[in-house]
Amino acid sequence: QVQLVESGGGLVQPGGSLRLSCAASGSIFSIYTMGWYRQAPGKQRELVATITYGGSAEYSISVTGRFTISRDTAKNTAYLQMNSLKPDATAVYSCNARITTGKAIFTPVDYWGQGTQVTVSS
């Protein structure tokens, strides 16, 4: 009943910027948290950033100061502004949301989007 759709990925030069979006839709009662994860080839998926309903954000040490996560609660959308991109940021970025639905308002469930490719290269 819930879908997450990411957008905004693409090819960018080192030092450039991208803004990712994640829109949640469906039978949503409440979104507790939203976050971004990434997985590079041959590596484990890692947390990039999360944000709570109240706007409290947490970041991976590797992106602190360069990435900013934000959330538009009215639109059920999270954003990831990525600045000063480095080649090691190349990965598939996936959106995660912990959501309760209208039919299960006491049972939060983690949902994942399909991911969007970010490639940092000259």
Side-chain angles (χ1 to χ4, degrees), residues 16-70:
S17 298
L18 284 174
R19 183 178 176 86
L20 306 183
S21 299
C22 172
S25 62
S27 183
I28 298 172
F29 182 80
S30 178
I31 300 179
Y32 288 84
T33 63
M34 300 188 76
W36 290 94
Y37 296 73
R38 67 185 180 188
Q39 186 170 21
K43 300 184 67 176
Q44 297 292 317
R45 176 179 287 175
E46 64 174 342
L47 171 70
V48 178
T50 60
I51 188 167
T52 68
Y53 175 83
S56 179
E58 296 184 6
Y59 298 92
S60 167
I61 295 176
S62 64
V63 306
T64 298
R66 299 183 297 111
F67 289 15
T68 302
I69 188 170
S70 60

mmCIF file of all heavy atoms in Angstrom, residues 16-70:
data_model
loop_
_atom_site.group_PDB
_atom_site.id
_atom_site.type_symbol
_atom_site.label_atom_id
_atom_site.label_comp_id
_atom_site.label_asym_id
_atom_site.label_seq_id
_atom_site.Cartn_x
_atom_site.Cartn_y
_atom_site.Cartn_z
ATOM 1 N N GLY A 16 30.676 18.789 -7.607
ATOM 2 C CA GLY A 16 29.345 19.221 -7.970
ATOM 3 C C GLY A 16 28.308 18.852 -6.944
ATOM 4 O O GLY A 16 28.614 18.325 -5.873
ATOM 5 N N SER A 17 27.056 19.118 -7.299
ATOM 6 C CA SER A 17 25.950 18.904 -6.379
ATOM 7 C C SER A 17 24.805 18.176 -7.059
ATOM 8 O O SER A 17 24.601 18.281 -8.272
ATOM 9 C CB SER A 17 25.431 20.243 -5.843
ATOM 10 O OG SER A 17 26.429 20.939 -5.118
ATOM 11 N N LEU A 18 24.065 17.445 -6.266
ATOM 12 C CA LEU A 18 22.828 16.813 -6.684
ATOM 13 C C LEU A 18 21.833 16.903 -5.550
ATOM 14 O O LEU A 18 22.210 16.943 -4.379
ATOM 15 C CB LEU A 18 23.031 15.342 -7.054
ATOM 16 C CG LEU A 18 23.691 15.001 -8.384
ATOM 17 C CD1 LEU A 18 23.915 13.492 -8.476
ATOM 18 C CD2 LEU A 18 22.843 15.478 -9.551
ATOM 19 N N ARG A 19 20.570 16.905 -5.919
ATOM 20 C CA ARG A 19 19.502 16.899 -4.941
ATOM 21 C C ARG A 19 18.589 15.715 -5.221
ATOM 22 O O ARG A 19 17.946 15.649 -6.273
ATOM 23 C CB ARG A 19 18.703 18.196 -4.989
ATOM 24 C CG ARG A 19 17.594 18.297 -3.933
ATOM 25 C CD ARG A 19 16.888 19.640 -4.034
ATOM 26 N NE ARG A 19 15.750 19.773 -3.129
ATOM 27 C CZ ARG A 19 15.831 20.176 -1.869
ATOM 28 N NH1 ARG A 19 17.013 20.486 -1.343
ATOM 29 N NH2 ARG A 19 14.735 20.278 -1.127
ATOM 30 N N LEU A 20 18.546 14.786 -4.294
ATOM 31 C CA LEU A 20 17.696 13.618 -4.416
ATOM 32 C C LEU A 20 16.363 13.863 -3.730
ATOM 33 O O LEU A 20 16.300 14.540 -2.705
ATOM 34 C CB LEU A 20 18.359 12.390 -3.801
ATOM 35 C CG LEU A 20 19.768 12.031 -4.293
ATOM 36 C CD1 LEU A 20 20.235 10.745 -3.617
ATOM 37 C CD2 LEU A 20 19.800 11.895 -5.803
ATOM 38 N N SER A 21 15.325 13.281 -4.282
ATOM 39 C CA SER A 21 13.996 13.375 -3.700
ATOM 40 C C SER A 21 13.438 11.981 -3.499
ATOM 41 O O SER A 21 13.707 11.069 -4.279
ATOM 42 C CB SER A 21 13.052 14.180 -4.597
ATOM 43 O OG SER A 21 13.497 15.503 -4.770
ATOM 44 N N CYS A 22 12.656 11.825 -2.460
ATOM 45 C CA CYS A 22 11.974 10.572 -2.176
ATOM 46 C C CYS A 22 10.542 10.899 -1.791
ATOM 47 O O CYS A 22 10.308 11.513 -0.741
ATOM 48 C CB CYS A 22 12.669 9.809 -1.052
ATOM 49 S SG CYS A 22 11.767 8.347 -0.489
ATOM 50 N N ALA A 23 9.622 10.488 -2.609
ATOM 51 C CA ALA A 23 8.211 10.745 -2.368
ATOM 52 C C ALA A 23 7.515 9.462 -1.946
ATOM 53 O O ALA A 23 7.570 8.453 -2.655
ATOM 54 C CB ALA A 23 7.552 11.320 -3.616
ATOM 55 N N ALA A 24 6.871 9.505 -0.808
ATOM 56 C CA ALA A 24 6.097 8.374 -0.316
ATOM 57 C C ALA A 24 4.627 8.586 -0.634
ATOM 58 O O ALA A 24 4.097 9.691 -0.483
ATOM 59 C CB ALA A 24 6.284 8.202 1.191
ATOM 60 N N SER A 25 3.989 7.532 -1.061
ATOM 61 C CA SER A 25 2.574 7.613 -1.380
ATOM 62 C C SER A 25 1.888 6.320 -0.978
ATOM 63 O O SER A 25 2.533 5.301 -0.756
ATOM 64 C CB SER A 25 2.353 7.889 -2.872
ATOM 65 O OG SER A 25 2.879 6.832 -3.662
ATOM 66 N N GLY A 26 0.577 6.373 -0.910
ATOM 67 C CA GLY A 26 -0.198 5.210 -0.538
ATOM 68 C C GLY A 26 -1.027 5.468 0.704
ATOM 69 O O GLY A 26 -1.278 6.610 1.078
ATOM 70 N N SER A 27 -1.428 4.389 1.333
ATOM 71 C CA SER A 27 -2.268 4.480 2.518
ATOM 72 C C SER A 27 -1.410 4.724 3.753
ATOM 73 O O SER A 27 -1.160 3.829 4.561
ATOM 74 C CB SER A 27 -3.091 3.201 2.676
ATOM 75 O OG SER A 27 -3.977 3.294 3.783
ATOM 76 N N ILE A 28 -0.974 5.954 3.901
ATOM 77 C CA ILE A 28 -0.050 6.329 4.964
ATOM 78 C C ILE A 28 -0.809 6.963 6.116
ATOM 79 O O ILE A 28 -1.553 7.925 5.923
ATOM 80 C CB ILE A 28 1.018 7.294 4.445
ATOM 81 C CG1 ILE A 28 1.862 6.624 3.361
ATOM 82 C CG2 ILE A 28 1.897 7.783 5.592
ATOM 83 C CD1 ILE A 28 2.807 7.564 2.657
ATOM 84 N N PHE A 29 -0.591 6.415 7.295
ATOM 85 C CA PHE A 29 -1.128 7.022 8.500
ATOM 86 C C PHE A 29 -0.119 7.972 9.126
ATOM 87 O O PHE A 29 -0.462 9.099 9.485
ATOM 88 C CB PHE A 29 -1.546 5.953 9.513
ATOM 89 C CG PHE A 29 -2.162 6.522 10.758
ATOM 90 C CD1 PHE A 29 -3.482 6.915 10.775
ATOM 91 C CD2 PHE A 29 -1.418 6.666 11.922
ATOM 92 C CE1 PHE A 29 -4.066 7.437 11.919
ATOM 93 C CE2 PHE A 29 -1.983 7.183 13.073
ATOM 94 C CZ PHE A 29 -3.310 7.575 13.072
ATOM 95 N N SER A 30 1.112 7.502 9.234
ATOM 96 C CA SER A 30 2.155 8.315 9.836
ATOM 97 C C SER A 30 3.515 7.849 9.340
ATOM 98 O O SER A 30 3.736 6.662 9.147
ATOM 99 C CB SER A 30 2.090 8.229 11.363
ATOM 100 O OG SER A 30 3.110 8.974 11.972
ATOM 101 N N ILE A 31 4.401 8.797 9.145
ATOM 102 C CA ILE A 31 5.789 8.500 8.827
ATOM 103 C C ILE A 31 6.647 8.891 10.020
ATOM 104 O O ILE A 31 6.707 10.068 10.380
ATOM 105 C CB ILE A 31 6.257 9.236 7.566
ATOM 106 C CG1 ILE A 31 5.405 8.835 6.365
ATOM 107 C CG2 ILE A 31 7.737 8.949 7.305
ATOM 108 C CD1 ILE A 31 5.790 9.540 5.083
ATOM 109 N N TYR A 32 7.306 7.914 10.609
ATOM 110 C CA TYR A 32 8.131 8.181 11.777
ATOM 111 C C TYR A 32 9.485 8.754 11.386
ATOM 112 O O TYR A 32 9.927 9.758 11.940
ATOM 113 C CB TYR A 32 8.322 6.904 12.594
ATOM 114 C CG TYR A 32 7.076 6.474 13.328
ATOM 115 C CD1 TYR A 32 6.095 5.719 12.700
ATOM 116 C CD2 TYR A 32 6.878 6.841 14.652
ATOM 117 C CE1 TYR A 32 4.948 5.333 13.369
ATOM 118 C CE2 TYR A 32 5.735 6.461 15.329
ATOM 119 C CZ TYR A 32 4.771 5.708 14.680
ATOM 120 O OH TYR A 32 3.631 5.332 15.353
ATOM 121 N N THR A 33 10.128 8.086 10.462
ATOM 122 C CA THR A 33 11.424 8.545 9.994
ATOM 123 C C THR A 33 11.531 8.321 8.494
ATOM 124 O O THR A 33 10.865 7.461 7.919
ATOM 125 C CB THR A 33 12.590 7.816 10.686
ATOM 126 O OG1 THR A 33 12.535 6.413 10.373
ATOM 127 C CG2 THR A 33 12.531 7.995 12.201
ATOM 128 N N MET A 34 12.401 9.092 7.883
ATOM 129 C CA MET A 34 12.792 8.858 6.508
ATOM 130 C C MET A 34 14.306 8.956 6.444
ATOM 131 O O MET A 34 14.915 9.664 7.250
ATOM 132 C CB MET A 34 12.157 9.857 5.547
ATOM 133 C CG MET A 34 10.636 9.827 5.555
ATOM 134 S SD MET A 34 9.869 10.846 4.269
ATOM 135 C CE MET A 34 10.147 9.810 2.816
ATOM 136 N N GLY A 35 14.878 8.239 5.520
ATOM 137 C CA GLY A 35 16.322 8.252 5.449
ATOM 138 C C GLY A 35 16.842 7.851 4.090
ATOM 139 O O GLY A 35 16.094 7.373 3.230
ATOM 140 N N TRP A 36 18.115 8.071 3.934
ATOM 141 C CA TRP A 36 18.819 7.707 2.716
ATOM 142 C C TRP A 36 19.956 6.757 3.041
ATOM 143 O O TRP A 36 20.698 6.974 4.005
ATOM 144 C CB TRP A 36 19.382 8.945 2.010
ATOM 145 C CG TRP A 36 18.327 9.814 1.416
ATOM 146 C CD1 TRP A 36 17.725 10.898 1.974
ATOM 147 C CD2 TRP A 36 17.744 9.661 0.120
ATOM 148 N NE1 TRP A 36 16.804 11.437 1.121
ATOM 149 C CE2 TRP A 36 16.795 10.697 -0.030
ATOM 150 C CE3 TRP A 36 17.925 8.759 -0.926
ATOM 151 C CZ2 TRP A 36 16.033 10.851 -1.189
ATOM 152 C CZ3 TRP A 36 17.171 8.904 -2.077
ATOM 153 C CH2 TRP A 36 16.238 9.946 -2.192
ATOM 154 N N TYR A 37 20.081 5.734 2.235
ATOM 155 C CA TYR A 37 21.156 4.765 2.327
ATOM 156 C C TYR A 37 21.814 4.661 0.960
ATOM 157 O O TYR A 37 21.229 5.043 -0.048
ATOM 158 C CB TYR A 37 20.624 3.400 2.764
ATOM 159 C CG TYR A 37 20.033 3.387 4.154
ATOM 160 C CD1 TYR A 37 18.805 3.970 4.414
ATOM 161 C CD2 TYR A 37 20.715 2.784 5.211
ATOM 162 C CE1 TYR A 37 18.258 3.963 5.688
ATOM 163 C CE2 TYR A 37 20.180 2.769 6.489
ATOM 164 C CZ TYR A 37 18.954 3.359 6.717
ATOM 165 O OH TYR A 37 18.416 3.344 7.980
ATOM 166 N N ARG A 38 23.015 4.134 0.950
ATOM 167 C CA ARG A 38 23.683 3.955 -0.330
ATOM 168 C C ARG A 38 24.486 2.668 -0.326
ATOM 169 O O ARG A 38 24.923 2.190 0.714
ATOM 170 C CB ARG A 38 24.586 5.142 -0.662
ATOM 171 C CG ARG A 38 25.792 5.298 0.252
ATOM 172 C CD ARG A 38 26.542 6.580 -0.083
ATOM 173 N NE ARG A 38 27.702 6.770 0.774
ATOM 174 C CZ ARG A 38 28.441 7.867 0.793
ATOM 175 N NH1 ARG A 38 28.136 8.887 -0.009
ATOM 176 N NH2 ARG A 38 29.491 7.952 1.610
ATOM 177 N N GLN A 39 24.673 2.129 -1.513
ATOM 178 C CA GLN A 39 25.450 0.916 -1.680
ATOM 179 C C GLN A 39 26.302 1.043 -2.930
ATOM 180 O O GLN A 39 25.778 1.182 -4.037
ATOM 181 C CB GLN A 39 24.554 -0.314 -1.776
ATOM 182 C CG GLN A 39 25.316 -1.622 -1.812
ATOM 183 C CD GLN A 39 24.410 -2.832 -1.667
ATOM 184 O OE1 GLN A 39 23.209 -2.755 -1.910
ATOM 185 N NE2 GLN A 39 24.986 -3.942 -1.261
ATOM 186 N N ALA A 40 27.591 1.000 -2.734
ATOM 187 C CA ALA A 40 28.535 1.028 -3.834
ATOM 188 C C ALA A 40 28.844 -0.401 -4.275
ATOM 189 O O ALA A 40 28.673 -1.348 -3.496
ATOM 190 C CB ALA A 40 29.814 1.745 -3.420
ATOM 191 N N PRO A 41 29.297 -0.578 -5.499
ATOM 192 C CA PRO A 41 29.626 -1.924 -5.969
ATOM 193 C C PRO A 41 30.626 -2.623 -5.053
ATOM 194 O O PRO A 41 31.660 -2.049 -4.700
ATOM 195 C CB PRO A 41 30.223 -1.676 -7.353
ATOM 196 C CG PRO A 41 29.606 -0.396 -7.799
ATOM 197 C CD PRO A 41 29.482 0.432 -6.551
ATOM 198 N N GLY A 42 30.309 -3.843 -4.666
ATOM 199 C CA GLY A 42 31.189 -4.615 -3.827
ATOM 200 C C GLY A 42 31.215 -4.223 -2.368
ATOM 201 O O GLY A 42 32.029 -4.760 -1.607
ATOM 202 N N LYS A 43 30.353 -3.320 -1.959
ATOM 203 C CA LYS A 43 30.334 -2.864 -0.582
ATOM 204 C C LYS A 43 28.953 -3.058 0.029
ATOM 205 O O LYS A 43 27.958 -3.235 -0.676
ATOM 206 C CB LYS A 43 30.738 -1.392 -0.491
ATOM 207 C CG LYS A 43 32.125 -1.088 -1.012
ATOM 208 C CD LYS A 43 32.494 0.363 -0.815
ATOM 209 C CE LYS A 43 32.629 0.691 0.655
ATOM 210 N NZ LYS A 43 33.091 2.093 0.873
ATOM 211 N N GLN A 44 28.915 -3.023 1.345
ATOM 212 C CA GLN A 44 27.659 -3.144 2.058
ATOM 213 C C GLN A 44 26.862 -1.844 1.985
ATOM 214 O O GLN A 44 27.428 -0.753 1.839
ATOM 215 C CB GLN A 44 27.911 -3.508 3.522
ATOM 216 C CG GLN A 44 28.577 -4.857 3.731
ATOM 217 C CD GLN A 44 27.670 -5.997 3.363
ATOM 218 O OE1 GLN A 44 26.480 -5.997 3.694
ATOM 219 N NE2 GLN A 44 28.211 -6.995 2.675
ATOM 220 N N ARG A 45 25.562 -1.983 2.093
ATOM 221 C CA ARG A 45 24.733 -0.805 2.179
ATOM 222 C C ARG A 45 25.025 -0.057 3.480
ATOM 223 O O ARG A 45 25.181 -0.669 4.544
ATOM 224 C CB ARG A 45 23.257 -1.202 2.119
ATOM 225 C CG ARG A 45 22.292 -0.037 2.295
ATOM 226 C CD ARG A 45 20.854 -0.499 2.197
ATOM 227 N NE ARG A 45 20.490 -0.831 0.820
ATOM 228 C CZ ARG A 45 19.322 -1.350 0.471
ATOM 229 N NH1 ARG A 45 18.408 -1.622 1.388
ATOM 230 N NH2 ARG A 45 19.085 -1.609 -0.809
ATOM 231 N N GLU A 46 25.099 1.245 3.385
ATOM 232 C CA GLU A 46 25.414 2.048 4.546
ATOM 233 C C GLU A 46 24.433 3.204 4.700
ATOM 234 O O GLU A 46 23.876 3.704 3.722
ATOM 235 C CB GLU A 46 26.842 2.599 4.470
ATOM 236 C CG GLU A 46 27.065 3.566 3.323
ATOM 237 C CD GLU A 46 28.442 4.199 3.353
ATOM 238 O OE1 GLU A 46 29.098 4.170 4.411
ATOM 239 O OE2 GLU A 46 28.860 4.730 2.301
ATOM 240 N N LEU A 47 24.262 3.604 5.924
ATOM 241 C CA LEU A 47 23.419 4.744 6.224
ATOM 242 C C LEU A 47 24.091 6.028 5.771
ATOM 243 O O LEU A 47 25.279 6.238 6.010
ATOM 244 C CB LEU A 47 23.138 4.803 7.724
ATOM 245 C CG LEU A 47 22.447 6.065 8.242
ATOM 246 C CD1 LEU A 47 21.003 6.104 7.771
ATOM 247 C CD2 LEU A 47 22.512 6.119 9.762
ATOM 248 N N VAL A 48 23.327 6.893 5.144
ATOM 249 C CA VAL A 48 23.802 8.220 4.778
ATOM 250 C C VAL A 48 23.242 9.264 5.734
ATOM 251 O O VAL A 48 23.985 10.034 6.338
ATOM 252 C CB VAL A 48 23.435 8.571 3.325
ATOM 253 C CG1 VAL A 48 23.891 9.991 2.986
ATOM 254 C CG2 VAL A 48 24.046 7.563 2.361
ATOM 255 N N ALA A 49 21.926 9.299 5.869
ATOM 256 C CA ALA A 49 21.292 10.283 6.728
ATOM 257 C C ALA A 49 19.870 9.855 7.019
ATOM 258 O O ALA A 49 19.230 9.168 6.217
ATOM 259 C CB ALA A 49 21.298 11.671 6.079
ATOM 260 N N THR A 50 19.366 10.260 8.169
ATOM 261 C CA THR A 50 17.977 10.033 8.535
ATOM 262 C C THR A 50 17.401 11.305 9.122
ATOM 263 O O THR A 50 18.131 12.165 9.617
ATOM 264 C CB THR A 50 17.814 8.898 9.557
ATOM 265 O OG1 THR A 50 18.523 9.223 10.755
ATOM 266 C CG2 THR A 50 18.335 7.584 8.997
ATOM 267 N N ILE A 51 16.089 11.397 9.086
ATOM 268 C CA ILE A 51 15.404 12.544 9.664
ATOM 269 C C ILE A 51 14.097 12.077 10.276
ATOM 270 O O ILE A 51 13.380 11.254 9.706
ATOM 271 C CB ILE A 51 15.182 13.649 8.613
ATOM 272 C CG1 ILE A 51 14.639 14.917 9.274
ATOM 273 C CG2 ILE A 51 14.267 13.169 7.494
ATOM 274 C CD1 ILE A 51 14.697 16.140 8.367
ATOM 275 N N THR A 52 13.794 12.597 11.446
ATOM 276 C CA THR A 52 12.578 12.225 12.149
ATOM 277 C C THR A 52 11.445 13.159 11.783
ATOM 278 O O THR A 52 11.619 14.162 11.085
ATOM 279 C CB THR A 52 12.794 12.256 13.669
ATOM 280 O OG1 THR A 52 12.986 13.619 14.093
ATOM 281 C CG2 THR A 52 14.000 11.430 14.074
ATOM 282 N N TYR A 53 10.257 12.827 12.284
ATOM 283 C CA TYR A 53 9.094 13.681 12.070
ATOM 284 C C TYR A 53 9.354 15.096 12.579
ATOM 285 O O TYR A 53 8.915 16.072 11.970
ATOM 286 C CB TYR A 53 7.879 13.087 12.766
ATOM 287 C CG TYR A 53 6.651 13.958 12.692
ATOM 288 C CD1 TYR A 53 5.825 13.933 11.570
ATOM 289 C CD2 TYR A 53 6.312 14.801 13.747
ATOM 290 C CE1 TYR A 53 4.705 14.725 11.502
ATOM 291 C CE2 TYR A 53 5.185 15.601 13.679
ATOM 292 C CZ TYR A 53 4.377 15.560 12.560
ATOM 293 O OH TYR A 53 3.255 16.354 12.483
ATOM 294 N N GLY A 54 10.051 15.200 13.690
ATOM 295 C CA GLY A 54 10.333 16.496 14.266
ATOM 296 C C GLY A 54 11.482 17.240 13.630
ATOM 297 O O GLY A 54 11.798 18.357 14.056
ATOM 298 N N GLY A 55 12.120 16.641 12.641
ATOM 299 C CA GLY A 55 13.180 17.314 11.925
ATOM 300 C C GLY A 55 14.575 17.070 12.458
ATOM 301 O O GLY A 55 15.520 17.733 12.012
ATOM 302 N N SER A 56 14.723 16.149 13.381
ATOM 303 C CA SER A 56 16.043 15.822 13.903
ATOM 304 C C SER A 56 16.781 14.937 12.912
ATOM 305 O O SER A 56 16.297 13.867 12.544
ATOM 306 C CB SER A 56 15.922 15.125 15.253
ATOM 307 O OG SER A 56 17.194 14.777 15.760
ATOM 308 N N ALA A 57 17.946 15.377 12.494
ATOM 309 C CA ALA A 57 18.705 14.680 11.464
ATOM 310 C C ALA A 57 19.974 14.060 12.025
ATOM 311 O O ALA A 57 20.586 14.593 12.953
ATOM 312 C CB ALA A 57 19.065 15.644 10.333
ATOM 313 N N GLU A 58 20.353 12.934 11.447
ATOM 314 C CA GLU A 58 21.609 12.278 11.763
ATOM 315 C C GLU A 58 22.312 11.939 10.462
ATOM 316 O O GLU A 58 21.675 11.600 9.471
ATOM 317 C CB GLU A 58 21.387 11.015 12.596
ATOM 318 C CG GLU A 58 20.792 11.274 13.967
ATOM 319 C CD GLU A 58 20.674 10.021 14.803
ATOM 320 O OE1 GLU A 58 21.151 8.963 14.361
ATOM 321 O OE2 GLU A 58 20.107 10.105 15.905
ATOM 322 N N TYR A 59 23.635 12.012 10.496
ATOM 323 C CA TYR A 59 24.422 11.812 9.290
ATOM 324 C C TYR A 59 25.552 10.834 9.524
ATOM 325 O O TYR A 59 26.097 10.735 10.628
ATOM 326 C CB TYR A 59 25.019 13.133 8.812
ATOM 327 C CG TYR A 59 24.007 14.174 8.440
ATOM 328 C CD1 TYR A 59 23.560 15.101 9.370
ATOM 329 C CD2 TYR A 59 23.497 14.235 7.146
ATOM 330 C CE1 TYR A 59 22.634 16.065 9.031
ATOM 331 C CE2 TYR A 59 22.568 15.191 6.797
ATOM 332 C CZ TYR A 59 22.140 16.105 7.743
ATOM 333 O OH TYR A 59 21.215 17.061 7.394
ATOM 334 N N SER A 60 25.913 10.154 8.463
ATOM 335 C CA SER A 60 27.156 9.417 8.466
ATOM 336 C C SER A 60 28.318 10.398 8.588
ATOM 337 O O SER A 60 28.276 11.505 8.041
ATOM 338 C CB SER A 60 27.292 8.610 7.175
ATOM 339 O OG SER A 60 28.593 8.112 7.010
ATOM 340 N N ILE A 61 29.351 9.981 9.306
ATOM 341 C CA ILE A 61 30.523 10.837 9.466
ATOM 342 C C ILE A 61 31.107 11.233 8.116
ATOM 343 O O ILE A 61 31.583 12.358 7.938
ATOM 344 C CB ILE A 61 31.584 10.129 10.329
ATOM 345 C CG1 ILE A 61 31.062 9.934 11.750
ATOM 346 C CG2 ILE A 61 32.885 10.932 10.347
ATOM 347 C CD1 ILE A 61 32.006 9.154 12.637
ATOM 348 N N SER A 62 31.032 10.341 7.161
ATOM 349 C CA SER A 62 31.648 10.576 5.870
ATOM 350 C C SER A 62 30.984 11.690 5.069
ATOM 351 O O SER A 62 31.602 12.212 4.132
ATOM 352 C CB SER A 62 31.650 9.293 5.041
ATOM 353 O OG SER A 62 30.336 8.873 4.731
ATOM 354 N N VAL A 63 29.766 12.066 5.409
ATOM 355 C CA VAL A 63 29.052 13.084 4.642
ATOM 356 C C VAL A 63 28.709 14.309 5.469
ATOM 357 O O VAL A 63 28.173 15.286 4.921
ATOM 358 C CB VAL A 63 27.762 12.519 4.010
ATOM 359 C CG1 VAL A 63 28.075 11.278 3.180
ATOM 360 C CG2 VAL A 63 26.716 12.205 5.074
ATOM 361 N N THR A 64 29.001 14.286 6.741
ATOM 362 C CA THR A 64 28.670 15.408 7.609
ATOM 363 C C THR A 64 29.305 16.695 7.094
ATOM 364 O O THR A 64 30.492 16.739 6.778
ATOM 365 C CB THR A 64 29.133 15.140 9.042
ATOM 366 O OG1 THR A 64 28.445 13.995 9.558
ATOM 367 C CG2 THR A 64 28.849 16.331 9.940
ATOM 368 N N GLY A 65 28.498 17.721 7.012
ATOM 369 C CA GLY A 65 28.974 19.009 6.546
ATOM 370 C C GLY A 65 28.817 19.222 5.060
ATOM 371 O O GLY A 65 28.920 20.363 4.594
ATOM 372 N N ARG A 66 28.583 18.171 4.311
ATOM 373 C CA ARG A 66 28.430 18.277 2.861
ATOM 374 C C ARG A 66 27.044 17.885 2.383
ATOM 375 O O ARG A 66 26.583 18.398 1.359
ATOM 376 C CB ARG A 66 29.483 17.419 2.162
ATOM 377 C CG ARG A 66 30.913 17.836 2.465
ATOM 378 C CD ARG A 66 31.926 17.004 1.693
ATOM 379 N NE ARG A 66 31.857 15.589 2.065
ATOM 380 C CZ ARG A 66 31.413 14.631 1.260
ATOM 381 N NH1 ARG A 66 30.998 14.914 0.029
ATOM 382 N NH2 ARG A 66 31.401 13.371 1.676
ATOM 383 N N PHE A 67 26.392 16.971 3.094
ATOM 384 C CA PHE A 67 25.050 16.525 2.736
ATOM 385 C C PHE A 67 24.052 17.084 3.734
ATOM 386 O O PHE A 67 24.351 17.220 4.924
ATOM 387 C CB PHE A 67 24.949 15.000 2.756
ATOM 388 C CG PHE A 67 25.671 14.300 1.638
ATOM 389 C CD1 PHE A 67 26.609 14.949 0.847
ATOM 390 C CD2 PHE A 67 25.404 12.961 1.384
ATOM 391 C CE1 PHE A 67 27.274 14.298 -0.177
ATOM 392 C CE2 PHE A 67 26.064 12.293 0.363
ATOM 393 C CZ PHE A 67 26.995 12.957 -0.410
ATOM 394 N N THR A 68 22.857 17.368 3.259
ATOM 395 C CA THR A 68 21.790 17.843 4.115
ATOM 396 C C THR A 68 20.508 17.102 3.790
ATOM 397 O O THR A 68 20.076 17.087 2.641
ATOM 398 C CB THR A 68 21.558 19.355 3.951
ATOM 399 O OG1 THR A 68 22.763 20.072 4.239
ATOM 400 C CG2 THR A 68 20.464 19.828 4.905
ATOM 401 N N ILE A 69 19.909 16.506 4.809
ATOM 402 C CA ILE A 69 18.631 15.848 4.629
ATOM 403 C C ILE A 69 17.531 16.775 5.131
ATOM 404 O O ILE A 69 17.698 17.473 6.134
ATOM 405 C CB ILE A 69 18.583 14.489 5.352
ATOM 406 C CG1 ILE A 69 17.301 13.719 4.985
ATOM 407 C CG2 ILE A 69 18.711 14.648 6.860
ATOM 408 C CD1 ILE A 69 17.289 12.278 5.475
ATOM 409 N N SER A 70 16.429 16.785 4.437
ATOM 410 C CA SER A 70 15.291 17.591 4.838
ATOM 411 C C SER A 70 14.017 16.821 4.531
ATOM 412 O O SER A 70 14.043 15.791 3.852
ATOM 413 C CB SER A 70 15.285 18.959 4.145
ATOM 414 O OG SER A 70 15.228 18.812 2.740
#
